[in-house]
Amino acid sequence: MNFLAKLDGRTKLISIVVITLFMFTFKNYWQYLLITGIFILIFFGQLHLNQRKQIIKHWKLILILPSLNLIVNSLFINGKVIWSWWRLHITHLDLAIFWRLILLLLFALTFSTITNPSEMALAIGKLINSLTLGYYQGSGIVLVVIIMAAFIREFSETWQTVIQAAKLRTIPSKSFKRWSDLIARIWLLQPLILISLKKADRVADALIAHGYHQDAKLFDYRKQKYHLNDWIIYGSLVLFIIINNLILGKL
Amino acid sequence: MLKISNLTYQFTSHILPLFPHLNFTLHKGEIYALLGVNGVGKTTLLKILSGLLKPSQGKVFWHDQNIYQSKKILRQYRSQIGFCLQDPEHLFFKQTVADELKYHHVGNVAKIIKQFKLEHLLNYSPFELSGGQKKILQLAIMLLKKPEILIGDEITAGLDTKGQSLIAKNLQKYKKDHIVLLVNHDLNQVIQMCDKFLFLSSEKFQVMTLTDILNYPTIFQKFGLIPPDTIKIGQELIARDILLPDTIYSNSEKIAQIIATLINQKKAK
Amino acid sequence: MANPLLEVKQLQYSSEELIDLNLTVKKKEIIHQVSFTINHHEFVGLVGPNGSGKTTLSKLLTKIIEPSNGHILLDGVDYVDFRPSWKLHQEVSLVFQQVSSQFIGTDFITDLTLSLKNFGWSIAKIENRIKQLTKQLHLKSLIKRPFRELSGGQQQLLAIAEAIAVKPKLLVLDEPTAQLDSENTFLVDQLLAKIFKEESTSILLISHKPIELSLTQKLLTLNQGTLTGNYSTNEFLLDSNLLKENQLIIPATLAIRDYVYKLTKVQLPLVDLSINSLIKAIETVLC
């Protein structure tokens, strides 16, 4: 359980990016199978029940988005056709993309459940600090990321309430006029945007009141150090890439 | 009649359910108050009862039909609910107050406008109204649905005295043929406005009438609440033998009347 | 003391607000020619109906917004001379009505550490201050828990603790308990009383709860952006007409006194709004 939780934010961020890019080099199904296997191990071995539930909650997104993509892709023939019906043709590439998308969504959701916004923001700040060889000491970028992440949550909460309110205001016997309903939906953006603007205003006010300013050295980037677990992850990533390329080279 | 059977709710991220399994029934002609400390799940319970949130366990029966049985029944049920949100802004999606009132209304718009004194606000955007005016507009919108059940989350919070009595007056009128359920932080107001009191904590649930409360005033402390001032004053005066123990003192006027009588008696001597 | 802590001179402000998606903009709150002073270690209350400009005034006093006209002086120094602005925020801090939007960190320690680093405090100094503050205000059980797990009242206690962490000369609170129930309001009010007793800071409390306002020493009334009165707290709170004029709720103790007077022409001698005071008054009149 603890291995994942002890990881540095940077390690989580970099691993996700590397795996994502890495998947684009895959040419064989066994590679996807291997990644899926690793994901299953993480999912059942490292996540709490509640974290798993939070990921599963998004099953619609995980299935619908790749499915839509699959349908669109199947309209075009890109490679050897393995199955076709009417105008739809499924190729190996279509399946690979479908699988890859599902994995990407699962990894992204897992990342967001095991990392809190400030941890992620700090990780980004530290990465920029390292990339600029310590020149960047500021806090602007980190603060912006923290605020954005907090704001996305606020935004979705506001949207949920707006939708609920709209449900209560719509009387079903009158809702046969589907078209006008759809137009009414667009107007739901009004409360969403106006309320969100107000909330953003308040956050900005609070920041000023707490004296936040560009040049303040809020974060001690030097203090953020890697631990053994992080090196293990980096090591296995490198190993994984090397083995993969060796085998691929031979094939 | 709204019957709640074995109902509870549990957030996916929590280990325990919010409140114990609830069993109670709400009837027409009464204003119910839901009381409990912050975070005990009052708003969640209101959402469940208005058909917006499926309970983790248990059922809600409206006219003997489980409201969460099918989507169609749920939609039908929601059309009979008037739900006033804590923050009314979430339901304003028209450009003027007049348009807001006309949207999917069932009741008589002109009458409601008069009842809630909205005449001079009709051409304003709902977003320019003051906090109190927004609350009043929201109640007017909800009453125009002619709902069977009116549910209010802090509908008088932040209102001035005039606004509060306007809302109280309309609720008294409305409760005659309907169910009204309120959450309100101001217990002094609750005691004056409501007929039945649903006390809720994470372990206990208890339904009481005003008489029950006055006979058993420690109920508030038992649920972690500070009792309303009139109850405290009544208790203190009873303890000093100024008021009689078995009488009901629900509001300031009643207490004042008895003290006035005592003063007049003393003057006569 | 010769000089007041805060001098507000002929303050004016107007602003605009977006009201729909057609980008219609309306003039919002306006402050007209507001002048007043706050002394060193003084507890001042500010009351007024909704939309009278209280929140705008609180933002002007904490330099979140700049006035269109007029001056504010802190210990004789004009606000415009505090440059950059954050230098002023060490001297004057603000607690907001909306509880959750004032934090950036996930818990008190992270949030306060971030906030104090703004003012260039060293880690050692920050840790010291946090230790001292949590001991003084009895907040130890709350400081490591994520804000999301705390009640609105508990969060507000921490927000107040953060606001006084910088040892400000003036603490402004904009309806800190408006969103809280009476249990949490009680906790916040207790904390404010303690802070005023133990710290040398002056406090400006915006509120419409009479019981809460009884913590203060004097009261300013604001109506439609204009200051309409300056009272001693006791004089104001025991006057039902003044309470009504400023759209405050009449507390039960006062309502009973007024009703008894109406019926008997006998005035119960209340010294404050507390229940004890009412009981004593009734006993004196009856014995």
Side-chain angles (χ1 to χ4, degrees):
Chain A
M1 271 268 165
N2 281 326
F3 189 81
L4 211 56
K6 274 186 194 155
L7 286 183
D8 191 288
R10 284 171 292 170
T11 313
K12 297 184 210 169
L13 192 66
I14 291 175
S15 309
I16 283 285
V17 172
V18 168
I19 291 176
T20 305
L21 292 176
F22 190 43
M23 275 200 283
F24 283 92
T25 70
F26 287 2
K27 295 207 165 61
N28 302 302
Y29 284 121
W30 64 264
Q31 291 170 305
Y32 286 104
L33 270 176
L34 190 65
I35 288 279
T36 312
I38 291 172
F39 176 76
I40 290 171
L41 280 181
I42 295 172
F43 189 76
F44 288 102
Q46 293 286 319
L47 297 183
H48 295 281
L49 181 65
N50 287 331
Q51 292 175 323
R52 268 177 278 177
K53 274 185 186 165
Q54 262 178 14
I55 296 170
I56 294 170
K57 210 170 71 184
H58 296 281
W59 65 273
K60 280 185 192 160
L61 176 82
I62 298 169
L63 285 181
I64 290 174
L65 212 65
S67 302
L68 279 177
N69 189 277
L70 184 66
I71 293 169
V72 173
N73 274 339
S74 63
L75 290 172
F76 308 98
I77 302 168
N78 39 17
K80 194 186 156 202
V81 177
I82 43 175
W83 184 80
S84 66
W85 174 77
W86 188 51
R87 283 187 196 172
L88 306 177
H89 311 283
I90 303 278
T91 63
H92 286 296
L93 188 63
D94 292 345
L95 282 181
I97 292 173
F98 176 71
W99 202 342
R100 196 192 296 153
L101 261 179
I102 290 185
L103 282 172
L104 284 182
L105 287 169
L106 283 172
F107 276 120
L109 284 167
T110 310
F111 177 68
S112 67
T113 42
I114 60 171
T115 318
N116 65 38
S118 46
E119 191 187 351
M120 184 173 75
L122 211 56
I124 295 172
K126 172 69 187 177
L127 283 175
I128 295 171
N129 173 263
S130 309
L131 288 175
T132 57
L133 301 175
Y135 178 76
Y136 177 78
Q137 297 273 339
S139 48
I141 296 171
V142 184
L143 285 178
V144 166
V145 176
I146 292 179
I147 293 163
M148 267 170 45
F151 211 68
I152 289 169
R153 202 176 55 224
E154 288 264 355
F155 210 68
S156 75
E157 275 168 17
T158 309
W159 180 239
Q160 267 174 18
T161 317
V162 167
I163 291 282
Q164 286 178 340
K167 271 184 189 165
L168 281 167
R169 291 194 62 184
T170 318
I171 290 170
S173 60
K174 293 194 176 179
S175 68
F176 287 110
K177 292 177 271 170
R178 287 278 167 199
W179 182 241
S180 64
D181 250 36
L182 209 66
I183 292 177
R185 277 247 151 164
I186 294 169
W187 277 105
L188 295 183
L189 289 174
Q190 170 167 302
L192 177 72
I193 292 171
L194 292 182
I195 292 171
S196 302
L197 281 179
K198 267 187 206 169
K199 283 186 179 165
D201 240 18
R202 276 183 218 140
V203 173
D205 285 349
L207 286 182
I208 299 174
H210 282 106
Y212 283 98
H213 55 279
Q214 264 278 306
D215 318 316
K217 288 182 180 153
L218 299 183
F219 306 102
D220 190 355
Y221 295 117
R222 282 165 307 166
K223 250 193 157 179
Q224 265 211 310
K225 293 240 166 66
Y226 284 125
H227 296 281
L228 181 65
N229 288 356
D230 300 297
W231 294 121
I232 294 177
I233 291 286
Y234 284 125
S236 17
L237 276 179
V238 171
L239 205 67
F240 198 54
I241 293 172
I242 292 173
I243 293 174
N244 185 65
N245 287 346
L246 278 180
I247 295 174
L248 273 185
K250 279 185 185 168
L251 283 174
Chain B
M1 178 171 100
L2 188 69
K3 194 173 162 229
I4 284 84
S5 153
N6 216 19
L7 181 107
T8 192
Y9 189 81
Q10 183 169 6
F11 286 109
T12 41
S13 53
H14 287 200
I15 311 160
L16 291 170
L18 266 176
F19 33 71
H21 289 80
L22 305 178
N23 289 290
F24 60 95
T25 310
L26 304 182
H27 298 277
K28 276 182 190 174
E30 313 251 29
I31 299 184
Y32 293 88
L34 179 59
L35 308 176
V37 290
N38 257 338
V40 74
K42 289 174 300 212
T43 301
T44 308
L45 185 55
L46 292 191
K47 280 190 179 165
I48 294 175
L49 297 186
S50 25
L52 291 174
L53 186 68
K54 204 176 172 209
S56 316
Q57 270 180 52
K59 284 168 182 156
V60 181
F61 294 100
W62 173 241
H63 294 316
D64 296 326
Q65 188 162 44
N66 180 5
I67 61 164
Y68 286 99
Q69 198 175 323
S70 75
K71 279 206 166 160
K72 201 182 150 205
I73 293 172
L74 189 58
R75 263 204 299 272
Q76 191 56 39
Y77 173 73
R78 271 198 218 117
S79 70
Q80 303 175 52
I81 301 292
F83 186 10
C84 299
L85 307 172
Q86 201 167 359
D87 181 1
E89 286 186 354
H90 289 88
L91 59 81
F92 298 145
F93 54 87
K94 295 280 168 191
Q95 258 126 320
T96 64
V97 170
D99 289 345
E100 287 287 355
L101 291 167
K102 279 178 207 145
Y103 180 78
H104 281 200
H105 71 277
V106 179
N108 183 336
V109 177
K111 203 173 137 196
I112 286 278
I113 291 174
K114 216 176 136 196
Q115 220 171 320
F116 286 95
K117 304 186 175 113
L118 296 169
E119 296 90 347
H120 61 290
L121 299 176
L122 292 177
N123 294 323
Y124 283 88
S125 153
F127 277 89
E128 339 166 35
L129 305 183
S130 74
Q133 288 168 334
K134 281 178 191 151
K135 294 238 168 188
I136 291 175
L137 173 62
Q138 160 168 256
L139 181 61
I141 288 172
M142 285 303 166
L143 286 181
L144 278 170
K145 278 179 79 180
K146 291 206 157 184
E148 291 293 321
I149 304 172
L150 183 71
I151 295 179
D153 196 353
E154 297 290 344
I155 46 174
T156 51
L159 254 75
D160 53 29
T161 16
K162 265 189 223 156
Q164 285 184 1
S165 55
L166 182 69
I167 286 188
K169 207 175 74 193
N170 277 291
L171 290 184
Q172 289 302 333
K173 217 192 291 174
Y174 196 75
K175 79 167 189 190
K176 281 181 194 129
D177 302 304
H178 306 92
I179 296 174
V180 181
L181 172 63
L182 304 177
V183 163
N184 189 334
H185 282 155
D186 188 343
L187 297 188
N188 291 307
Q189 262 177 45
V190 166
I191 285 287
Q192 314 235 350
M193 252 175 19
C194 304
D195 309 299
K196 289 245 171 90
F197 306 86
L198 315 172
F199 285 87
L200 183 66
S201 77
S202 52
E203 302 100 32
K204 302 183 285 271
F205 178 73
Q206 208 162 340
V207 184
M208 295 205 121
T209 63
L210 191 56
T211 328
D212 294 338
I213 289 180
L214 295 164
N215 287 329
Y216 180 43
T218 47
I219 182 81
F220 290 100
Q221 284 95 330
K222 207 176 140 198
F223 282 84
L225 301 164
I226 296 175
D229 288 344
T230 42
I231 303 259
K232 276 199 239 167
I233 295 170
Q235 273 178 290
E236 291 281 336
L237 290 173
I238 290 170
R240 285 172 172 72
D241 290 330
I242 296 173
L243 294 187
L244 297 172
D246 297 325
T247 334
I248 290 170
Y249 310 101
S250 58
N251 60 36
S252 320
E253 275 87 6
K254 277 189 191 152
I255 296 175
Q257 268 165 1
I258 300 188
I259 291 165
T261 327
L262 291 173
I263 292 176
N264 284 335
Q265 276 170 6
K266 195 189 156 203
K267 268 192 207 161
K269 274 183 200 167
Chain C
M1 247 170 282
N3 286 322
L5 171 70
L6 188 85
E7 258 181 290
V8 177
K9 293 181 182 167
Q10 309 277 323
L11 207 61
Q12 275 191 17
Y13 184 78
S14 63
S15 79
E16 292 179 326
E17 189 189 23
L18 191 66
I19 52 162
D20 62 30
L21 294 188
N22 295 338
L23 301 183
T24 317
V25 161
K26 289 251 165 134
K27 273 231 157 114
K28 205 191 157 193
E29 282 183 328
I30 299 167
I31 296 284
H32 302 290
Q33 304 286 335
V34 165
S35 303
F36 62 93
T37 58
I38 294 177
N39 289 322
H40 288 271
H41 200 238
E42 190 174 32
F43 203 149
V44 181
L46 178 70
V47 297
N50 291 329
S52 57
K54 289 172 297 183
T55 297
T56 309
L57 189 56
S58 75
K59 285 186 196 167
L60 286 167
L61 293 181
T62 45
K63 212 182 178 193
I64 286 175
I65 49 178
E66 310 258 344
S68 344
N69 244 319
H71 292 277
I72 310 174
L73 277 70
L74 184 77
D75 262 340
V77 183
D78 196 309
Y79 270 28
V80 291
D81 295 331
F82 284 92
R83 255 189 234 131
S85 276
W86 59 267
K87 295 221 159 122
L88 179 83
H89 297 120
Q90 288 174 285
E91 315 282 343
V92 183
S93 43
L94 176 62
V95 174
F96 295 79
Q97 181 182 348
Q98 280 79 21
V99 179
S100 55
S101 46
Q102 29 193 345
F103 305 114
I104 292 189
T106 43
D107 59 58
F108 178 75
I109 293 185
T110 355
D111 196 67
L112 183 56
T113 309
L114 278 180
S115 154
L116 290 178
K117 276 187 184 168
N118 277 310
F119 303 119
W121 289 35
S122 71
I123 286 286
K125 195 177 167 195
I126 293 174
E127 278 171 359
N128 241 334
R129 183 69 179 127
I130 291 180
K131 222 179 262 169
Q132 183 200 357
L133 204 61
T134 47
K135 198 178 160 202
Q136 182 196 355
L137 307 179
H138 309 298
L139 295 171
K140 218 169 183 180
S141 59
L142 303 179
I143 53 169
K144 279 187 186 159
R145 290 167 59 192
F147 289 126
R148 267 181 302 141
E149 284 178 16
L150 302 175
S151 76
Q154 290 170 325
Q155 289 185 37
Q156 201 62 303
L157 295 181
L158 295 176
I160 294 171
E162 285 198 10
I164 66 159
V166 284
K167 295 203 172 255
K169 289 179 180 157
L170 174 67
L171 172 63
V172 182
L173 302 116
D174 182 13
E175 303 200 36
T177 63
Q179 293 187 335
L180 305 181
D181 55 19
S182 29
E183 294 70 35
N184 283 300
T185 302
F186 180 69
L187 294 177
V188 169
D189 291 350
Q190 254 185 333
L191 185 72
L192 288 180
K194 187 175 161 67
I195 287 172
F196 187 66
K197 208 176 124 201
E198 294 171 7
E199 301 281 319
S200 61
T201 176
S202 294
I203 303 182
L204 178 73
L205 172 67
I206 302 177
S207 172
H208 51 235
K209 295 185 178 173
I211 301 288
E212 189 167 284
L213 289 166
S214 53
L215 291 169
T216 65
Q217 299 165 322
K218 76 172 188 192
L219 282 173
L220 305 170
T221 56
L222 191 69
N223 206 335
Q224 298 189 330
T226 314
L227 270 193
T228 51
N230 186 341
Y231 306 89
S232 91
T233 297
N234 255 338
E235 166 202 5
F236 181 90
L237 290 178
L238 289 173
D239 188 331
S240 323
N241 290 329
L242 276 176
L243 291 181
K244 272 183 213 153
E245 263 170 44
N246 289 285
Q247 301 191 4
L248 299 178
I249 307 280
I250 310 285
T253 47
L254 220 55
I256 292 176
R257 180 199 67 179
D258 293 347
Y259 210 72
V260 168
Y261 181 76
K262 213 171 114 192
L263 295 171
T264 63
K265 297 283 166 241
V266 172
Q267 182 84 281
L268 295 173
L270 291 189
V271 280
D272 54 45
L273 295 176
S274 71
I275 291 173
N276 272 341
S277 159
L278 177 79
I279 306 286
K280 266 188 204 142
I282 292 174
E283 282 180 326
T284 355
V285 169
L286 287 180
C287 293

